Amino acid sequence: MTRIIVITSGKGGVGKTTVSANLGMAIAKMGRQVALVDADFGLRNLDLLLGLENRIVYTAVEVLSRDCRLEQALVKDKRQPNLVLLPAAQNRTKDAVTPEQMKLLVNALAQKYQYVIIDSPAGIENGFKNAIAPAKEALIVTTPEISAVRDADRVVGLLEAQGVKRVHLIINRIRPAMVRANDMMSVQDVQELLAIPLIGVIPDDERVIVSTNRGEPLVLGDTPSLAAVAFENIARRLEGETVEFIDLDAPQENIFSRLRKLLRTKIV
């Protein structure tokens, strides 16, 4: 049965699109067929993070207006054949698509793909309503800031009202040193405030910025990265595996020696 998951937050700038790109790629690497849907009409960015911006010919809007078939609008990723992107139109507003039309698009994708992951725009207006309309599950992305957590809490309530009951939390850009200094909310603080199950904690990592600018999701890189492992762990948890959370409070040297050991184990 196809998993239809919306990645949302309420607040902008918390890393939803980065999560969508890396999580989609991580799931595809596990052998699943994945369709990523950019629901941010007018401000698309998912294509940039995947490095697919130069390969877009048609978008979701052309599919809905019957100017092309759905298959023609899907952009295949040459690095990972299990992943495709359905891009949003840059020259249209969020009103160009209705929730019913989003359901039609996503249901068509669900006939072929095992995961349909919808990258929701910021806010709770029309773009958000479009993105959550077809969803069966949601991943709420927040950073450990009070404004982001408050917006995430509002979104949890809206998802429940929409009938999306399976909701999990991803905490992005956590900085253990700042948490220890009481300058940043801890994972436990965020969990207590939102009261939804935690599925992933992603440490702040400047390599995310580098990978974004290059259009190469971090999970495709050869260099060991805690953030990349965190994304892969979320993918494994979605698949039903029991995976321990990375101990971000451990000394850096210990973390990276464990990471190297983990990667060697994977190769073997």
Side-chain angles (χ1 to χ4, degrees):
M1 191 173 173
T2 300
R3 305 276 296 273
I4 302 173
I5 304 171
V6 64
I7 295 180
T8 185
S9 68
K11 191 176 187 300
V14 297
K16 286 184 301 294
T17 303
T18 300
V19 170
S20 299
N22 280 280
L23 187 56
M25 196 64 79
I27 295 168
K29 279 174 63 182
M30 296 170 73
R32 301 297 187 190
Q33 298 290 320
V34 179
L36 286 173
V37 178
D38 192 340
D40 198 353
F41 291 85
L43 291 172
R44 74 173 183 226
N45 283 310
L46 191 50
D47 56 317
L48 288 172
L49 271 68
L50 292 165
L52 300 175
E53 67 275 11
N54 294 325
R55 300 187 51 214
I56 294 172
V57 179
Y58 299 109
T59 71
V61 169
E62 279 82 42
V63 177
L64 290 169
S65 62
R66 300 191 178 180
D67 291 326
C68 73
R69 299 189 315 277
L70 177 59
E71 293 74 20
Q72 290 176 291
L74 296 176
V75 184
K76 294 180 172 62
D77 194 301
K78 292 178 179 176
R79 299 156 301 186
Q80 180 45 260
N82 291 330
L83 184 136
V84 298
L85 167 68
L86 178 61
Q90 253 186 316
N91 58 347
R92 302 294 183 92
T93 67
K94 291 170 178 60
D95 299 327
V97 177
T98 67
E100 288 306 315
Q101 287 175 318
M102 278 296 289
K103 285 181 184 177
L104 285 172
L105 282 173
V106 169
N107 289 340
L109 289 168
Q111 303 303 311
K112 184 175 179 183
Y113 296 91
Q114 292 165 295
Y115 280 84
V116 180
I117 296 175
I118 305 162
D119 182 24
S120 171
I124 55 172
E125 306 306 324
N126 290 343
F128 169 77
K129 290 171 186 172
N130 287 338
I132 68 170
K136 308 296 183 194
E137 306 174 45
L139 298 178
I140 304 267
V141 181
T142 186
T143 49
E145 306 159 57
I146 192 65
S147 59
V149 173
R150 184 172 68 175
D151 287 359
D153 187 48
R154 172 91 169 105
V155 165
V156 170
L158 293 170
L159 287 165
E160 287 176 354
Q162 181 66 25
V164 182
K165 304 296 185 190
R166 195 170 178 183
V167 180
H168 286 88
L169 174 66
I170 295 174
I171 302 174
N172 194 21
R173 298 193 197 127
I174 195 93
R175 296 187 184 186
M178 288 185 71
V179 173
R180 286 194 294 272
N182 286 324
D183 290 328
M184 178 178 275
M185 296 168 74
S186 69
V187 170
Q188 290 74 21
D189 292 335
V190 178
Q191 273 187 284
E192 283 174 19
L193 286 167
L194 292 178
I196 54 174
L198 184 70
I199 198 168
V201 179
I202 302 161
D204 196 34
D205 189 336
E206 61 188 29
R207 277 169 289 193
V208 172
I209 298 170
V210 176
S211 73
T212 297
N213 290 336
R214 288 179 178 169
E216 296 173 2
L218 207 59
V219 295
L220 292 178
D222 297 323
T223 311
S225 160
L226 278 179
V229 172
F231 285 123
E232 288 173 345
N233 285 350
I234 295 169
R236 291 169 62 195
R237 290 182 193 113
L238 280 172
E239 280 285 288
E241 288 186 46
T242 302
V243 185
E244 280 187 33
F245 287 89
I246 300 168
D247 181 8
L248 297 174
D249 286 320
Q252 282 298 95
E253 198 175 317
N254 289 357
I255 289 175
F256 280 105
S257 63
R258 284 171 57 201
L259 185 54
R260 281 191 287 271
K261 183 180 177 184
L262 177 67
L263 290 171
R264 281 199 299 271
T265 307
K266 281 187 179 180
I267 293 167
V268 172

